Amino acid sequence: MAEPHVPHPDLPPPASAVGALGWLRRNLFSSPLNIALTALALYLLVTLIPPLLRWALLDATWSGEDRAACRVNSGACWTFIRVHFDQFLYGFYPEAQRWRVNAVVLFLIFGAVPLFLRSVPDSLKLRWGLGLLLAFPVVAFLLLRGGLGLPVVDTSSWGGLLLTLVIAGVGMTAALPLGVLLALGRRSDMPAIQTLCVTFIEFWRGVPLITVLFMSSVMLPLFLPAGMNFDKLLRALIGVTLFQAAYMAEVVRGGLQAIPKGQIEAAAALGLGYWKSMLLIVLPQALKLVIPGIVNTFIALFKDTSLVLIIGLFDLMNIVHNATTNPEWLGFSTEGYVFAAAVYWLFCFGMSRYSQKLEKRLHTGHKR
Amino acid sequence: MSEAAPAPARAPLSDQVMIDMQGVHKWYGAFHVLKDINLTVHKGERIVICGPSGSGKSTTIRCINHLEEYQRGQIVVDGQALTNDVKQIERIRREVGMVFQHFNLFPHLTVLENCTLAPIWVRKLPRQEAEEIAMRYLKRVKIPEQAGKYPGQLSGGQQQRVAIARSLCMNPKIMLFDEPTSALDPEMIKEVLDTMVALAEDGMTMLCVTHEMGFAKTIAHRVIFMDGGEIIEQNSPQEFFSNPRSDRTKLFLSQILRH
């Protein structure tokens, strides 16, 4: 009779393979080259971080109401940002009416809460989201622009972060569906539609956004009948949307091409027509695949909104720039641009993180 | 090439013609893939189509629900002529279920959602009724417990049974099978074939492209052999396997039955 086999007990791994020591060894000191790079990185951190901290925090000025307050300390003058903060947020929006901007933001935040709750069923989320998508622009337009008893605030006084968010928000929500339609059109069997979409995409992708904005603000009025003048902001919005839709179309097309033909055949064999099979089967899968590309385009769009400064709109970038040229506050452009960069970064990084979460949540463990 | 009589052991077929293909030709560019296909299928009839790869057998059954276009000839399905009219094609597809070699389940939907999608969106059934029907068919293919999972979490055999259930949920009059077991491991072939045999016993009209000759012997009324885009021979399974007429059929059978 053979002895029953007793498995060897598990031994603890050597100290050098696990824990903090193992991590250091694997990631920082695994080869001579890595040791050299680690040393170099440490040297750079030691030389760069302390002066940066001293400028931005330790020697910085936070208080005071004018530039005289910033004469004492050698560091950054955050007073400049504090004094101009409201202007950076709202532009030249009349102070007494700024509650309307805040109301729009609150409406959006509270309206969007159910979309982010796990406990709300997806079908309800879809309906709620569509409702919000229809209601929000109307509410936002009425509140921001005025009418129905509210005093009208002309779009020329919108500015700062408000304007940046309006352009980016409208651009994103309009460019995505338009881009999807263009992508579907480009893959259409119908030659007329295909040619139309290809021409549109190639035209808008072939010109720089600056040119588009210039054309919309300088050239377009020349072609319009005298006396007819439509809003400068609206023209910029249309320009940005069409421009980004062309990029979006190519991103979405990449996703469409990745969907196996069998999916469309299976949908067809069940009797689903073109639009149903696209909306229910192909697009949900294709859009999920290209979330990174879509967010990439969104982020690019968000930053590209700063180009509207060349047609005289005061978005965040332009209003900061404007404040730095104020004779009373000359010499603080570094603080201004650092602040603008930080705000842009915050929004872009937020989008990036959200898209990563979304990708994980939508993953259903399939390979095909 | 004679018109096959149904196997004696099987119930006599009804006179009602479900599929009528007359002189169907198809070209891929200059390549003539289907050459004068004539095929009449009666209600409740079960047909197995076999032949070497590239012989046009899949193309033939894919013409029946217009997944493939054809350039000449005509096809009538359940009394309705197949035309190029999109609405007419969709009407016919509702009555014709299809099971694919690679299952083609929708990976972003759960098993239950795969089954209820077409009843809800095409047949316009209320969600609850569609789910009841789906669960009934999932029980019939013996995987009701997988209803909440995604296709990617199932084995190949399970996925193919879901695909069969998904087709059945549309309550089709005809089922087309395009090599349903060719992408499966040997162990899983049986569970899918068992499901198909059960379906056959319920009197479903079936056209099946397969190389499972045992399956053909047990359930088919008629076996069709295709090569080079033509129907070479068709006969009852007994006659087909024991007494093939053409040399091409003999060669094919000797090769696939050797082991």
Side-chain angles (χ1 to χ4, degrees), chain A residues 262-263 265-266 268-273 276 280-281 284-285 364-366, chain B residues 62 90 93 96 100 104-108 117 121-122 124 150 152 166 170:
Chain A
Q263 291 287 308
E265 287 181 351
L270 287 167
L272 284 130
K276 278 179 192 161
L280 298 169
I281 305 301
Q285 297 183 57
T364 55
H366 66 275
Chain B
R62 284 161 61 91
E90 281 170 20
R93 281 174 177 165
V96 181
F100 299 86
N104 297 354
L105 293 177
F106 306 131
H108 62 302
L117 184 99
W121 291 92
V122 180
K124 313 278 181 206
Y150 286 96
R166 176 175 72 176
M170 284 295 280

PDB file of all heavy atoms in Angstrom, chain A residues 262-263 265-266 268-273 276 280-281 284-285 364-366, chain B residues 62 90 93 96 100 104-108 117 121-122 124 150 152 166 170:
ATOM      1  N   GLY A 262     -20.982  39.087 -38.828  1.00  0.00           N
ATOM      2  CA  GLY A 262     -21.978  38.160 -38.287  1.00  0.00           C
ATOM      3  C   GLY A 262     -23.001  38.822 -37.392  1.00  0.00           C
ATOM      4  O   GLY A 262     -24.151  38.380 -37.315  1.00  0.00           O
ATOM      5  N   GLN A 263     -22.604  39.888 -36.708  1.00  0.00           N
ATOM      6  CA  GLN A 263     -23.535  40.598 -35.831  1.00  0.00           C
ATOM      7  C   GLN A 263     -24.664  41.227 -36.645  1.00  0.00           C
ATOM      8  O   GLN A 263     -25.834  41.147 -36.274  1.00  0.00           O
ATOM      9  CB  GLN A 263     -22.800  41.701 -35.063  1.00  0.00           C
ATOM     10  CG  GLN A 263     -21.825  41.167 -34.042  1.00  0.00           C
ATOM     11  CD  GLN A 263     -22.547  40.580 -32.851  1.00  0.00           C
ATOM     12  OE1 GLN A 263     -23.403  41.214 -32.257  1.00  0.00           O
ATOM     13  NE2 GLN A 263     -22.233  39.347 -32.523  1.00  0.00           N
ATOM     14  N   GLU A 265     -25.537  40.294 -39.669  1.00  0.00           N
ATOM     15  CA  GLU A 265     -26.310  39.222 -40.293  1.00  0.00           C
ATOM     16  C   GLU A 265     -27.303  38.619 -39.313  1.00  0.00           C
ATOM     17  O   GLU A 265     -28.451  38.340 -39.653  1.00  0.00           O
ATOM     18  CB  GLU A 265     -25.375  38.131 -40.808  1.00  0.00           C
ATOM     19  CG  GLU A 265     -24.625  38.556 -42.055  1.00  0.00           C
ATOM     20  CD  GLU A 265     -23.718  37.474 -42.575  1.00  0.00           C
ATOM     21  OE1 GLU A 265     -23.531  36.444 -41.877  1.00  0.00           O
ATOM     22  OE2 GLU A 265     -23.173  37.651 -43.676  1.00  0.00           O
ATOM     23  N   ALA A 266     -26.860  38.432 -38.059  1.00  0.00           N
ATOM     24  CA  ALA A 266     -27.761  37.856 -37.058  1.00  0.00           C
ATOM     25  C   ALA A 266     -28.939  38.789 -36.814  1.00  0.00           C
ATOM     26  O   ALA A 266     -30.082  38.349 -36.705  1.00  0.00           O
ATOM     27  CB  ALA A 266     -27.000  37.593 -35.750  1.00  0.00           C
ATOM     28  N   ALA A 268     -30.121  40.972 -38.938  1.00  0.00           N
ATOM     29  CA  ALA A 268     -30.961  40.953 -40.135  1.00  0.00           C
ATOM     30  C   ALA A 268     -31.815  39.687 -40.165  1.00  0.00           C
ATOM     31  O   ALA A 268     -33.005  39.734 -40.472  1.00  0.00           O
ATOM     32  CB  ALA A 268     -30.090  41.033 -41.386  1.00  0.00           C
ATOM     33  N   ALA A 269     -31.196  38.543 -39.815  1.00  0.00           N
ATOM     34  CA  ALA A 269     -31.920  37.276 -39.863  1.00  0.00           C
ATOM     35  C   ALA A 269     -33.091  37.263 -38.890  1.00  0.00           C
ATOM     36  O   ALA A 269     -34.056  36.522 -39.071  1.00  0.00           O
ATOM     37  CB  ALA A 269     -30.966  36.118 -39.571  1.00  0.00           C
ATOM     38  N   LEU A 270     -33.014  38.074 -37.829  1.00  0.00           N
ATOM     39  CA  LEU A 270     -34.120  38.151 -36.876  1.00  0.00           C
ATOM     40  C   LEU A 270     -35.207  39.111 -37.352  1.00  0.00           C
ATOM     41  O   LEU A 270     -36.216  39.281 -36.685  1.00  0.00           O
ATOM     42  CB  LEU A 270     -33.611  38.611 -35.504  1.00  0.00           C
ATOM     43  CG  LEU A 270     -32.805  37.579 -34.720  1.00  0.00           C
ATOM     44  CD1 LEU A 270     -32.101  38.233 -33.546  1.00  0.00           C
ATOM     45  CD2 LEU A 270     -33.706  36.464 -34.224  1.00  0.00           C
ATOM     46  N   GLY A 271     -34.967  39.779 -38.482  1.00  0.00           N
ATOM     47  CA  GLY A 271     -35.985  40.664 -39.024  1.00  0.00           C
ATOM     48  C   GLY A 271     -35.817  42.111 -38.621  1.00  0.00           C
ATOM     49  O   GLY A 271     -36.698  42.920 -38.860  1.00  0.00           O
ATOM     50  N   LEU A 272     -34.684  42.458 -37.989  1.00  0.00           N
ATOM     51  CA  LEU A 272     -34.460  43.852 -37.622  1.00  0.00           C
ATOM     52  C   LEU A 272     -34.053  44.650 -38.863  1.00  0.00           C
ATOM     53  O   LEU A 272     -33.227  44.193 -39.639  1.00  0.00           O
ATOM     54  CB  LEU A 272     -33.350  43.955 -36.573  1.00  0.00           C
ATOM     55  CG  LEU A 272     -33.748  43.550 -35.159  1.00  0.00           C
ATOM     56  CD1 LEU A 272     -32.758  42.574 -34.592  1.00  0.00           C
ATOM     57  CD2 LEU A 272     -33.838  44.749 -34.257  1.00  0.00           C
ATOM     58  N   GLY A 273     -34.618  45.820 -39.005  1.00  0.00           N
ATOM     59  CA  GLY A 273     -34.263  46.679 -40.130  1.00  0.00           C
ATOM     60  C   GLY A 273     -32.950  47.399 -39.873  1.00  0.00           C
ATOM     61  O   GLY A 273     -32.335  47.233 -38.818  1.00  0.00           O
ATOM     62  N   LYS A 276     -32.823  49.798 -36.671  1.00  0.00           N
ATOM     63  CA  LYS A 276     -32.886  49.050 -35.413  1.00  0.00           C
ATOM     64  C   LYS A 276     -31.602  48.256 -35.209  1.00  0.00           C
ATOM     65  O   LYS A 276     -31.081  48.182 -34.098  1.00  0.00           O
ATOM     66  CB  LYS A 276     -34.098  48.128 -35.409  1.00  0.00           C
ATOM     67  CG  LYS A 276     -35.368  48.859 -35.032  1.00  0.00           C
ATOM     68  CD  LYS A 276     -36.560  47.927 -35.064  1.00  0.00           C
ATOM     69  CE  LYS A 276     -37.831  48.754 -34.975  1.00  0.00           C
ATOM     70  NZ  LYS A 276     -38.991  47.993 -35.445  1.00  0.00           N
ATOM     71  N   LEU A 280     -29.508  49.136 -31.953  1.00  0.00           N
ATOM     72  CA  LEU A 280     -29.578  48.162 -30.861  1.00  0.00           C
ATOM     73  C   LEU A 280     -28.379  47.237 -30.817  1.00  0.00           C
ATOM     74  O   LEU A 280     -27.994  46.758 -29.751  1.00  0.00           O
ATOM     75  CB  LEU A 280     -30.850  47.313 -30.999  1.00  0.00           C
ATOM     76  CG  LEU A 280     -32.179  48.068 -30.910  1.00  0.00           C
ATOM     77  CD1 LEU A 280     -33.330  47.180 -31.330  1.00  0.00           C
ATOM     78  CD2 LEU A 280     -32.390  48.577 -29.498  1.00  0.00           C
ATOM     79  N   ILE A 281     -27.792  46.959 -31.973  1.00  0.00           N
ATOM     80  CA  ILE A 281     -26.736  45.937 -32.019  1.00  0.00           C
ATOM     81  C   ILE A 281     -25.364  46.552 -32.315  1.00  0.00           C
ATOM     82  O   ILE A 281     -24.410  46.356 -31.568  1.00  0.00           O
ATOM     83  CB  ILE A 281     -27.051  44.879 -33.100  1.00  0.00           C
ATOM     84  CG1 ILE A 281     -28.436  44.287 -32.869  1.00  0.00           C
ATOM     85  CG2 ILE A 281     -25.981  43.805 -33.129  1.00  0.00           C
ATOM     86  CD1 ILE A 281     -28.631  43.630 -31.539  1.00  0.00           C
ATOM     87  N   PRO A 284     -24.122  50.233 -30.024  1.00  0.00           N
ATOM     88  CA  PRO A 284     -23.716  50.036 -28.622  1.00  0.00           C
ATOM     89  C   PRO A 284     -22.354  49.362 -28.502  1.00  0.00           C
ATOM     90  O   PRO A 284     -21.549  49.712 -27.643  1.00  0.00           O
ATOM     91  CB  PRO A 284     -24.823  49.135 -28.055  1.00  0.00           C
ATOM     92  CG  PRO A 284     -25.997  49.355 -28.934  1.00  0.00           C
ATOM     93  CD  PRO A 284     -25.448  49.647 -30.295  1.00  0.00           C
ATOM     94  N   GLN A 285     -22.091  48.398 -29.397  1.00  0.00           N
ATOM     95  CA  GLN A 285     -20.793  47.722 -29.333  1.00  0.00           C
ATOM     96  C   GLN A 285     -19.678  48.605 -29.885  1.00  0.00           C
ATOM     97  O   GLN A 285     -18.588  48.674 -29.319  1.00  0.00           O
ATOM     98  CB  GLN A 285     -20.836  46.427 -30.132  1.00  0.00           C
ATOM     99  CG  GLN A 285     -21.823  45.419 -29.604  1.00  0.00           C
ATOM    100  CD  GLN A 285     -21.767  44.125 -30.401  1.00  0.00           C
ATOM    101  OE1 GLN A 285     -20.723  43.493 -30.520  1.00  0.00           O
ATOM    102  NE2 GLN A 285     -22.886  43.719 -30.962  1.00  0.00           N
ATOM    103  N   THR A 364     -18.355  43.440 -20.656  1.00  0.00           N
ATOM    104  CA  THR A 364     -19.194  42.291 -20.350  1.00  0.00           C
ATOM    105  C   THR A 364     -18.459  40.967 -20.547  1.00  0.00           C
ATOM    106  O   THR A 364     -19.053  39.925 -20.706  1.00  0.00           O
ATOM    107  CB  THR A 364     -20.461  42.276 -21.234  1.00  0.00           C
ATOM    108  OG1 THR A 364     -20.048  42.341 -22.601  1.00  0.00           O
ATOM    109  CG2 THR A 364     -21.369  43.430 -20.909  1.00  0.00           C
ATOM    110  N   GLY A 365     -17.146  41.034 -20.561  1.00  0.00           N
ATOM    111  CA  GLY A 365     -16.365  39.803 -20.582  1.00  0.00           C
ATOM    112  C   GLY A 365     -16.457  39.015 -21.878  1.00  0.00           C
ATOM    113  O   GLY A 365     -16.407  37.806 -21.864  1.00  0.00           O
ATOM    114  N   HIS A 366     -16.610  39.714 -22.987  1.00  0.00           N
ATOM    115  CA  HIS A 366     -16.663  38.997 -24.257  1.00  0.00           C
ATOM    116  C   HIS A 366     -15.382  39.258 -25.025  1.00  0.00           C
ATOM    117  O   HIS A 366     -14.715  40.256 -24.809  1.00  0.00           O
ATOM    118  CB  HIS A 366     -17.849  39.453 -25.088  1.00  0.00           C
ATOM    119  CG  HIS A 366     -17.713  40.881 -25.522  1.00  0.00           C
ATOM    120  ND1 HIS A 366     -18.093  41.924 -24.718  1.00  0.00           N
ATOM    121  CD2 HIS A 366     -17.203  41.435 -26.651  1.00  0.00           C
ATOM    122  CE1 HIS A 366     -17.846  43.059 -25.347  1.00  0.00           C
ATOM    123  NE2 HIS A 366     -17.308  42.797 -26.516  1.00  0.00           N
TER     124      HIS A 366
ATOM    125  N   ARG B  62     -28.527  30.733 -47.379  1.00  0.00           N
ATOM    126  CA  ARG B  62     -28.510  32.173 -47.064  1.00  0.00           C
ATOM    127  C   ARG B  62     -29.305  32.987 -48.084  1.00  0.00           C
ATOM    128  O   ARG B  62     -29.677  34.125 -47.799  1.00  0.00           O
ATOM    129  CB  ARG B  62     -27.063  32.668 -46.986  1.00  0.00           C
ATOM    130  CG  ARG B  62     -26.359  32.239 -45.683  1.00  0.00           C
ATOM    131  CD  ARG B  62     -24.854  32.333 -45.816  1.00  0.00           C
ATOM    132  NE  ARG B  62     -24.436  33.693 -46.093  1.00  0.00           N
ATOM    133  CZ  ARG B  62     -24.127  34.585 -45.155  1.00  0.00           C
ATOM    134  NH1 ARG B  62     -24.192  34.241 -43.874  1.00  0.00           N
ATOM    135  NH2 ARG B  62     -23.749  35.804 -45.474  1.00  0.00           N
ATOM    136  N   GLU B  90     -37.880  41.835 -44.857  1.00  0.00           N
ATOM    137  CA  GLU B  90     -38.006  41.785 -43.394  1.00  0.00           C
ATOM    138  C   GLU B  90     -39.191  40.919 -42.975  1.00  0.00           C
ATOM    139  O   GLU B  90     -39.138  40.208 -41.972  1.00  0.00           O
ATOM    140  CB  GLU B  90     -38.144  43.206 -42.828  1.00  0.00           C
ATOM    141  CG  GLU B  90     -36.793  43.915 -42.755  1.00  0.00           C
ATOM    142  CD  GLU B  90     -36.915  45.389 -42.435  1.00  0.00           C
ATOM    143  OE1 GLU B  90     -37.959  45.813 -41.898  1.00  0.00           O
ATOM    144  OE2 GLU B  90     -35.961  46.135 -42.742  1.00  0.00           O
ATOM    145  N   ARG B  93     -38.048  37.401 -43.257  1.00  0.00           N
ATOM    146  CA  ARG B  93     -37.047  37.044 -42.242  1.00  0.00           C
ATOM    147  C   ARG B  93     -37.683  36.776 -40.882  1.00  0.00           C
ATOM    148  O   ARG B  93     -37.145  36.021 -40.072  1.00  0.00           O
ATOM    149  CB  ARG B  93     -36.019  38.169 -42.110  1.00  0.00           C
ATOM    150  CG  ARG B  93     -34.988  38.126 -43.234  1.00  0.00           C
ATOM    151  CD  ARG B  93     -34.084  39.318 -43.152  1.00  0.00           C
ATOM    152  NE  ARG B  93     -33.044  39.266 -44.187  1.00  0.00           N
ATOM    153  CZ  ARG B  93     -32.298  40.304 -44.524  1.00  0.00           C
ATOM    154  NH1 ARG B  93     -32.466  41.472 -43.914  1.00  0.00           N
ATOM    155  NH2 ARG B  93     -31.383  40.189 -45.451  1.00  0.00           N
ATOM    156  N   VAL B  96     -38.433  33.148 -40.758  1.00  0.00           N
ATOM    157  CA  VAL B  96     -37.334  32.218 -41.031  1.00  0.00           C
ATOM    158  C   VAL B  96     -36.238  32.421 -39.978  1.00  0.00           C
ATOM    159  O   VAL B  96     -35.600  33.464 -39.944  1.00  0.00           O
ATOM    160  CB  VAL B  96     -36.753  32.458 -42.444  1.00  0.00           C
ATOM    161  CG1 VAL B  96     -35.642  31.472 -42.726  1.00  0.00           C
ATOM    162  CG2 VAL B  96     -37.835  32.346 -43.496  1.00  0.00           C
ATOM    163  N   PHE B 100     -26.187  30.254 -36.891  1.00  0.00           N
ATOM    164  CA  PHE B 100     -24.932  30.420 -37.619  1.00  0.00           C
ATOM    165  C   PHE B 100     -23.826  29.536 -37.046  1.00  0.00           C
ATOM    166  O   PHE B 100     -23.873  29.127 -35.882  1.00  0.00           O
ATOM    167  CB  PHE B 100     -24.468  31.874 -37.536  1.00  0.00           C
ATOM    168  CG  PHE B 100     -25.426  32.864 -38.143  1.00  0.00           C
ATOM    169  CD1 PHE B 100     -26.477  33.385 -37.396  1.00  0.00           C
ATOM    170  CD2 PHE B 100     -25.285  33.287 -39.449  1.00  0.00           C
ATOM    171  CE1 PHE B 100     -27.356  34.297 -37.943  1.00  0.00           C
ATOM    172  CE2 PHE B 100     -26.160  34.194 -40.010  1.00  0.00           C
ATOM    173  CZ  PHE B 100     -27.200  34.705 -39.253  1.00  0.00           C
ATOM    174  N   ASN B 104     -22.988  34.035 -33.405  1.00  0.00           N
ATOM    175  CA  ASN B 104     -23.375  35.438 -33.610  1.00  0.00           C
ATOM    176  C   ASN B 104     -24.351  35.942 -32.570  1.00  0.00           C
ATOM    177  O   ASN B 104     -25.289  36.674 -32.873  1.00  0.00           O
ATOM    178  CB  ASN B 104     -23.959  35.653 -35.006  1.00  0.00           C
ATOM    179  CG  ASN B 104     -22.946  35.376 -36.096  1.00  0.00           C
ATOM    180  OD1 ASN B 104     -21.777  35.139 -35.799  1.00  0.00           O
ATOM    181  ND2 ASN B 104     -23.366  35.403 -37.332  1.00  0.00           N
ATOM    182  N   LEU B 105     -24.130  35.552 -31.317  1.00  0.00           N
ATOM    183  CA  LEU B 105     -24.928  36.153 -30.245  1.00  0.00           C
ATOM    184  C   LEU B 105     -24.465  37.591 -30.065  1.00  0.00           C
ATOM    185  O   LEU B 105     -23.349  37.940 -30.434  1.00  0.00           O
ATOM    186  CB  LEU B 105     -24.745  35.374 -28.941  1.00  0.00           C
ATOM    187  CG  LEU B 105     -25.315  33.968 -28.946  1.00  0.00           C
ATOM    188  CD1 LEU B 105     -24.999  33.274 -27.628  1.00  0.00           C
ATOM    189  CD2 LEU B 105     -26.815  33.980 -29.174  1.00  0.00           C
ATOM    190  N   PHE B 106     -25.335  38.427 -29.481  1.00  0.00           N
ATOM    191  CA  PHE B 106     -24.971  39.826 -29.262  1.00  0.00           C
ATOM    192  C   PHE B 106     -24.237  39.937 -27.933  1.00  0.00           C
ATOM    193  O   PHE B 106     -24.845  39.782 -26.874  1.00  0.00           O
ATOM    194  CB  PHE B 106     -26.228  40.700 -29.283  1.00  0.00           C
ATOM    195  CG  PHE B 106     -27.047  40.504 -30.528  1.00  0.00           C
ATOM    196  CD1 PHE B 106     -28.408  40.275 -30.455  1.00  0.00           C
ATOM    197  CD2 PHE B 106     -26.452  40.543 -31.779  1.00  0.00           C
ATOM    198  CE1 PHE B 106     -29.163  40.084 -31.609  1.00  0.00           C
ATOM    199  CE2 PHE B 106     -27.192  40.351 -32.938  1.00  0.00           C
ATOM    200  CZ  PHE B 106     -28.555  40.116 -32.838  1.00  0.00           C
ATOM    201  N   PRO B 107     -22.935  40.207 -27.957  1.00  0.00           N
ATOM    202  CA  PRO B 107     -22.129  40.086 -26.731  1.00  0.00           C
ATOM    203  C   PRO B 107     -22.444  41.144 -25.682  1.00  0.00           C
ATOM    204  O   PRO B 107     -22.126  40.950 -24.515  1.00  0.00           O
ATOM    205  CB  PRO B 107     -20.691  40.240 -27.239  1.00  0.00           C
ATOM    206  CG  PRO B 107     -20.812  40.966 -28.521  1.00  0.00           C
ATOM    207  CD  PRO B 107     -22.125  40.571 -29.120  1.00  0.00           C
ATOM    208  N   HIS B 108     -23.078  42.254 -26.098  1.00  0.00           N
ATOM    209  CA  HIS B 108     -23.345  43.310 -25.124  1.00  0.00           C
ATOM    210  C   HIS B 108     -24.683  43.110 -24.422  1.00  0.00           C
ATOM    211  O   HIS B 108     -25.044  43.911 -23.568  1.00  0.00           O
ATOM    212  CB  HIS B 108     -23.299  44.681 -25.814  1.00  0.00           C
ATOM    213  CG  HIS B 108     -24.334  44.840 -26.889  1.00  0.00           C
ATOM    214  ND1 HIS B 108     -24.416  43.990 -27.975  1.00  0.00           N
ATOM    215  CD2 HIS B 108     -25.350  45.726 -27.024  1.00  0.00           C
ATOM    216  CE1 HIS B 108     -25.426  44.364 -28.748  1.00  0.00           C
ATOM    217  NE2 HIS B 108     -26.003  45.414 -28.193  1.00  0.00           N
ATOM    218  N   LEU B 117     -34.912  40.516 -27.669  1.00  0.00           N
ATOM    219  CA  LEU B 117     -34.706  41.689 -28.519  1.00  0.00           C
ATOM    220  C   LEU B 117     -35.640  41.729 -29.733  1.00  0.00           C
ATOM    221  O   LEU B 117     -36.395  42.683 -29.928  1.00  0.00           O
ATOM    222  CB  LEU B 117     -33.245  41.720 -28.989  1.00  0.00           C
ATOM    223  CG  LEU B 117     -32.887  42.949 -29.812  1.00  0.00           C
ATOM    224  CD1 LEU B 117     -32.202  43.987 -28.947  1.00  0.00           C
ATOM    225  CD2 LEU B 117     -31.981  42.595 -30.976  1.00  0.00           C
ATOM    226  N   TRP B 121     -38.749  44.247 -30.451  1.00  0.00           N
ATOM    227  CA  TRP B 121     -38.548  45.320 -31.433  1.00  0.00           C
ATOM    228  C   TRP B 121     -39.139  45.003 -32.795  1.00  0.00           C
ATOM    229  O   TRP B 121     -39.407  45.912 -33.572  1.00  0.00           O
ATOM    230  CB  TRP B 121     -37.071  45.660 -31.573  1.00  0.00           C
ATOM    231  CG  TRP B 121     -36.537  46.329 -30.353  1.00  0.00           C
ATOM    232  CD1 TRP B 121     -35.944  45.718 -29.285  1.00  0.00           C
ATOM    233  CD2 TRP B 121     -36.586  47.722 -30.037  1.00  0.00           C
ATOM    234  NE1 TRP B 121     -35.617  46.648 -28.334  1.00  0.00           N
ATOM    235  CE2 TRP B 121     -35.993  47.888 -28.760  1.00  0.00           C
ATOM    236  CE3 TRP B 121     -37.058  48.852 -30.702  1.00  0.00           C
ATOM    237  CZ2 TRP B 121     -35.870  49.134 -28.148  1.00  0.00           C
ATOM    238  CZ3 TRP B 121     -36.934  50.092 -30.093  1.00  0.00           C
ATOM    239  CH2 TRP B 121     -36.348  50.216 -28.833  1.00  0.00           C
ATOM    240  N   VAL B 122     -39.276  43.714 -33.125  1.00  0.00           N
ATOM    241  CA  VAL B 122     -39.815  43.372 -34.436  1.00  0.00           C
ATOM    242  C   VAL B 122     -41.277  42.940 -34.325  1.00  0.00           C
ATOM    243  O   VAL B 122     -42.135  43.413 -35.046  1.00  0.00           O
ATOM    244  CB  VAL B 122     -38.974  42.251 -35.089  1.00  0.00           C
ATOM    245  CG1 VAL B 122     -39.538  41.896 -36.451  1.00  0.00           C
ATOM    246  CG2 VAL B 122     -37.526  42.701 -35.226  1.00  0.00           C
ATOM    247  N   LYS B 124     -43.105  43.489 -31.668  1.00  0.00           N
ATOM    248  CA  LYS B 124     -43.776  44.489 -30.812  1.00  0.00           C
ATOM    249  C   LYS B 124     -44.497  43.849 -29.620  1.00  0.00           C
ATOM    250  O   LYS B 124     -45.561  44.316 -29.213  1.00  0.00           O
ATOM    251  CB  LYS B 124     -44.778  45.325 -31.618  1.00  0.00           C
ATOM    252  CG  LYS B 124     -44.254  45.848 -32.936  1.00  0.00           C
ATOM    253  CD  LYS B 124     -43.438  47.092 -32.730  1.00  0.00           C
ATOM    254  CE  LYS B 124     -42.924  47.627 -34.063  1.00  0.00           C
ATOM    255  NZ  LYS B 124     -41.704  48.390 -33.913  1.00  0.00           N
ATOM    256  N   TYR B 150     -23.866  36.889 -19.677  1.00  0.00           N
ATOM    257  CA  TYR B 150     -23.523  37.389 -20.999  1.00  0.00           C
ATOM    258  C   TYR B 150     -22.960  36.237 -21.839  1.00  0.00           C
ATOM    259  O   TYR B 150     -22.351  35.309 -21.287  1.00  0.00           O
ATOM    260  CB  TYR B 150     -22.483  38.511 -20.888  1.00  0.00           C
ATOM    261  CG  TYR B 150     -23.090  39.800 -20.377  1.00  0.00           C
ATOM    262  CD1 TYR B 150     -23.034  40.134 -19.033  1.00  0.00           C
ATOM    263  CD2 TYR B 150     -23.760  40.651 -21.240  1.00  0.00           C
ATOM    264  CE1 TYR B 150     -23.618  41.306 -18.557  1.00  0.00           C
ATOM    265  CE2 TYR B 150     -24.344  41.816 -20.781  1.00  0.00           C
ATOM    266  CZ  TYR B 150     -24.266  42.142 -19.439  1.00  0.00           C
ATOM    267  OH  TYR B 150     -24.855  43.296 -18.998  1.00  0.00           O
ATOM    268  N   GLY B 152     -20.361  35.856 -23.530  1.00  0.00           N
ATOM    269  CA  GLY B 152     -18.943  35.588 -23.323  1.00  0.00           C
ATOM    270  C   GLY B 152     -18.641  34.700 -22.126  1.00  0.00           C
ATOM    271  O   GLY B 152     -17.538  34.184 -21.995  1.00  0.00           O
ATOM    272  N   ARG B 166     -32.893  31.824 -29.324  1.00  0.00           N
ATOM    273  CA  ARG B 166     -33.140  33.190 -29.793  1.00  0.00           C
ATOM    274  C   ARG B 166     -33.968  33.169 -31.084  1.00  0.00           C
ATOM    275  O   ARG B 166     -34.893  33.961 -31.256  1.00  0.00           O
ATOM    276  CB  ARG B 166     -31.796  33.888 -30.055  1.00  0.00           C
ATOM    277  CG  ARG B 166     -31.939  35.285 -30.631  1.00  0.00           C
ATOM    278  CD  ARG B 166     -30.608  35.974 -30.764  1.00  0.00           C
ATOM    279  NE  ARG B 166     -29.792  35.415 -31.852  1.00  0.00           N
ATOM    280  CZ  ARG B 166     -28.617  35.901 -32.220  1.00  0.00           C
ATOM    281  NH1 ARG B 166     -28.100  36.925 -31.578  1.00  0.00           N
ATOM    282  NH2 ARG B 166     -27.932  35.346 -33.194  1.00  0.00           N
ATOM    283  N   MET B 170     -38.858  33.948 -32.038  1.00  0.00           N
ATOM    284  CA  MET B 170     -39.623  34.667 -33.063  1.00  0.00           C
ATOM    285  C   MET B 170     -40.720  33.773 -33.634  1.00  0.00           C
ATOM    286  O   MET B 170     -41.431  34.164 -34.552  1.00  0.00           O
ATOM    287  CB  MET B 170     -38.689  35.133 -34.185  1.00  0.00           C
ATOM    288  CG  MET B 170     -37.854  36.339 -33.827  1.00  0.00           C
ATOM    289  SD  MET B 170     -38.868  37.795 -33.572  1.00  0.00           S
ATOM    290  CE  MET B 170     -39.167  38.316 -35.258  1.00  0.00           C
TER     291      MET B 170
END
